[in-house]
């Protein structure tokens, strides 16, 4: 698994600014196969997308069901899969790492807020350090930074958290919902890859890369687009019956 995680880690380095790593978010095995067949070198599961596919609200999926879904996705493809496990479901770092690895994932997303409230950044950095110590090189750790998601507007707050998380061993940081105009500052102040999700009406993938994104993920956005197509098909079937 260290080899697979190493392959995944290498995808984040040595990239041209206009060529960020694009990781689509599969919500089940079928979507994972479609993304692999399209030529993407790796995938990143979105917790909200998986939750919707299982009939749960975002944040309400039990750990067993989330990890079982990740395992089905990882088994269905030959490319590396990173798993969004939200806040870690209250699992101790040793158990969390073991269960993510058992599911076949080579990376993990961990967020720094709970129930809508930001966690203490130093305490969260300590938890990330424990996860890093348990995983060694076998997991790519993507530390989500929720300052903008929770209403913050000062990019310095995101920088402070991100730098703590990188120092604790995070391979990448994910300032979710970062306004694009703040990306150059974050790029200049953070020593490591930066994950960005496109905002509605915001810059396209290539421009996000030029602004400072190392990798681009989509959360549940691709599932939402697929569901629009499903509803259109359903309407066509209904009208023809």
């Amino acid at each position: 698994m260290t080899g697979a995680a190493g392959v995944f880690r290498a995808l984040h380095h040595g990239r041209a600014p206009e060529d960020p790593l694009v990781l689509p978010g599969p919500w089940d095995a079928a979507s994972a196969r479609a993304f692999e067949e399209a030529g993407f070198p790796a995938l990143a599961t979105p917790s909200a997308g998986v939750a919707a596919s299982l009939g749960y609200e975002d944040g309400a999926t039990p750990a067993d069901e989330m990890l079982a879904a990740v395992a089905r996705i990882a088994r269905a493809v030959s490319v590396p899969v990173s798993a969004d496990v939200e806040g870690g479901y209250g699992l101790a770092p040793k158990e969390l790492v073991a269960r993510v690895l058992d599911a076949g994932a080579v990376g993990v997303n961990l967020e720094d807020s709970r129930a809508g409230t930001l966690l203490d950044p130093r305490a969260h950095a300590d938890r990330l350090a424990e996860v890093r110590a348990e995983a060694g090189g076998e997991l790519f750790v993507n530390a989500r930074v929720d300052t903008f998601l929770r209403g913050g507007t000062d990019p310095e707050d995101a920088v402070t958290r991100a730098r703590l998380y990188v120092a604790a061993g995070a391979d990448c940081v994910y300032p979710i919902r970062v306004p694009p105009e703040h990306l150059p500052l974050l790029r200049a102040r953070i020593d490591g890859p930066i994950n960005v999700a496109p905002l509605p009406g915001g810059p396209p993938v290539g421009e996000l890369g030029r602004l400072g994104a190392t990798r681009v993920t989509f959360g549940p956005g691709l599932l939402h687009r697929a569901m629009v197509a499903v509803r259109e098909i359903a309407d066509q079937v209904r009208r023809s019956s």
Side-chain angles (χ1 to χ4, degrees):
M1 184 64 69
T2 303
V7 169
F8 184 64
R9 190 171 283 110
L11 291 172
H12 294 74
H13 296 279
R15 308 193 69 88
E18 68 275 8
D19 182 36
L21 176 62
V22 177
L23 300 178
W27 53 91
D28 60 12
S31 59
R33 288 188 179 126
F35 293 136
E36 180 183 33
E37 290 166 2
F40 290 99
L43 307 174
T45 69
S47 61
V50 173
S53 76
L54 297 174
Y56 290 101
E57 295 294 325
D58 185 20
T61 311
D64 289 350
E65 293 198 47
M66 181 65 74
L67 291 167
V70 169
R72 288 191 293 272
I73 289 168
R75 285 197 304 268
V77 296
S78 60
V79 296
V81 174
S82 183
D84 182 349
V85 294
E86 303 176 282
Y89 307 110
L91 300 173
K94 182 174 183 177
E95 183 179 0
L96 177 64
V97 168
R99 294 190 67 178
V100 170
L101 291 174
D102 285 347
V106 302
V108 64
N109 273 27
L110 285 169
E111 57 198 45
D112 68 348
S113 65
R114 184 179 299 121
T117 301
L118 288 166
L119 301 174
D120 176 81
R122 294 190 180 278
H124 188 64
D126 289 344
R127 177 168 168 78
L128 290 172
E130 292 181 62
V131 170
R132 172 87 287 153
E134 290 292 343
E138 293 189 79
L139 278 181
F140 182 98
V141 178
N142 187 32
R144 207 175 82 177
V145 179
D146 287 2
T147 51
F148 300 111
L149 177 66
R150 302 306 174 196
T153 58
D154 186 351
E156 292 293 345
D157 293 339
V159 167
T160 297
R161 285 177 175 266
R163 289 168 66 95
L164 282 171
Y165 302 161
V166 170
D171 295 284
C172 183
V173 293
Y174 176 15
I176 188 170
R177 295 193 185 175
V178 56
E181 62 268 23
H182 293 328
L183 274 173
L185 171 66
L186 269 61
R187 178 66 286 159
R189 299 282 303 282
I190 297 168
D191 184 17
I194 298 174
N195 185 157
V196 175
L199 296 175
V205 167
E207 181 62 19
L208 289 174
R210 285 186 284 272
L211 288 170
T214 309
R215 84 180 202 182
V216 176
T217 56
F218 301 89
L222 301 181
L223 169 63
H224 293 162
R225 290 170 64 180
M227 291 308 301
V228 170
V230 169
R231 284 190 288 271
E232 290 175 353
I233 293 168
D235 287 341
Q236 292 169 6
V237 171
R238 180 179 55 80
R239 287 195 299 268
S240 65
S241 60

